[in-house]
Amino acid sequence: MAFCSQCGAELARDARFCGQCGAAVSGTTPGVTADPVAPPPRPNPVETQSFPSQPGARGGRGWLLPVLLVIAVLSIAYLLLAPARTPEPATRTDTPEGQATTAATEPGSDAAPTRTVSAASLDSSFVSDPQGAAARYAGPVRVSGTIATMVQPGPTPSLSMEGRTRFNYVIVNFPAGYRERLAPLAKGQVIIVACGGVRALGGTTILSDCRLD
């Protein structure tokens, strides 16, 4: 319902002039409710096409599985192809010169010496740990070394071998009457002697009751 803006009279529907005062109808008066206007049509939503995610695009962690597989393969190959390490026999040791030796006889045993140790190694052992060396080399022992000096005078013939250095000697004592057996030997010659015992005296290693092996 509309009213005249000049006189306030009620206007007929679709009237162009007020029937009371004759004023032209230019619009509705305030407070008049206009017909609702339909909202404009909404555009149809554009359909978007989804694409599958690319391998390796999930947070940048696509490389993790291949790397783990490579590590696992390398580990298995190492375990299969690596040579097995066998422990050294308990009866085998290496001297400083690389000469292998066999086990010594038990202390106090009268059996023939079975250990072959270099004079340099023997001398080093008695210098670094005299008590331990005495226990380790108790009883008969076989010693190899280079002759440093020839037979010394005295009731029992003896000679010296090169010890832990060329300036340290290991004294080798032989029984009486053994001088002729030592005559063919020469300085610098490598010999092996079988001795009844070994001891240290004043920092010098001494072999006693020895014979050429």
Side-chain angles (χ1 to χ4, degrees):
M1 179 178 296
F3 299 88
C4 177
S5 61
Q6 297 296 325
C7 65
E10 183 179 354
L11 299 175
R13 185 178 183 82
D14 298 330
R16 299 180 63 186
F17 296 93
C18 176
Q20 185 70 26
C21 65
V25 178
S26 59
T28 59
T29 59
V32 177
T33 303
D35 294 334
V37 179
R42 299 179 61 184
N44 295 328
V46 180
E47 295 183 359
T48 58
Q49 183 177 2
S50 60
F51 297 92
S53 59
Q54 297 295 329
R58 291 175 292 182
R61 294 179 296 178
W63 52 268
L64 184 59
L65 181 58
V67 170
L68 293 177
L69 290 176
V70 171
I71 293 175
V73 171
L74 292 178
S75 301
I76 295 174
Y78 175 81
L79 294 176
L80 294 177
L81 300 179
R85 297 183 60 185
T86 57
E88 291 291 334
T91 59
R92 182 183 179 89
T93 60
D94 291 331
T95 65
E97 292 79 14
Q99 178 182 3
T101 61
T102 56
T105 56
E106 293 295 329
S109 173
D110 295 332
T114 58
R115 174 186 292 275
T116 301
V117 61
S118 69
S121 176
L122 188 69
D123 191 32
S124 297
S125 297
F126 273 91
V127 170
S128 60
D129 184 12
Q131 294 182 353
R136 181 180 179 186
Y137 295 103
V141 62
R142 297 172 72 243
V143 182
S144 64
T146 302
I147 297 177
T149 60
M150 288 306 300
V151 180
Q152 305 296 321
T156 57
S158 62
L159 55 80
S160 62
M161 293 181 175
E162 294 180 1
R164 58 189 183 278
T165 69
R166 296 185 61 182
F167 306 100
N168 299 102
Y169 301 139
V170 174
I171 305 302
V172 185
N173 291 321
F174 296 90
Y178 211 81
R179 192 177 301 273
E180 294 182 359
R181 292 285 306 274
L182 304 177
L185 302 180
K187 180 179 179 180
Q189 182 176 350
V190 177
I191 61 173
I192 298 177
V193 292
C195 303
V198 57
R199 61 190 175 92
L201 180 63
T204 301
T205 304
I206 301 174
L207 297 169
S208 60
D209 191 22
C210 300
R211 292 170 174 77
L212 292 176
D213 195 358

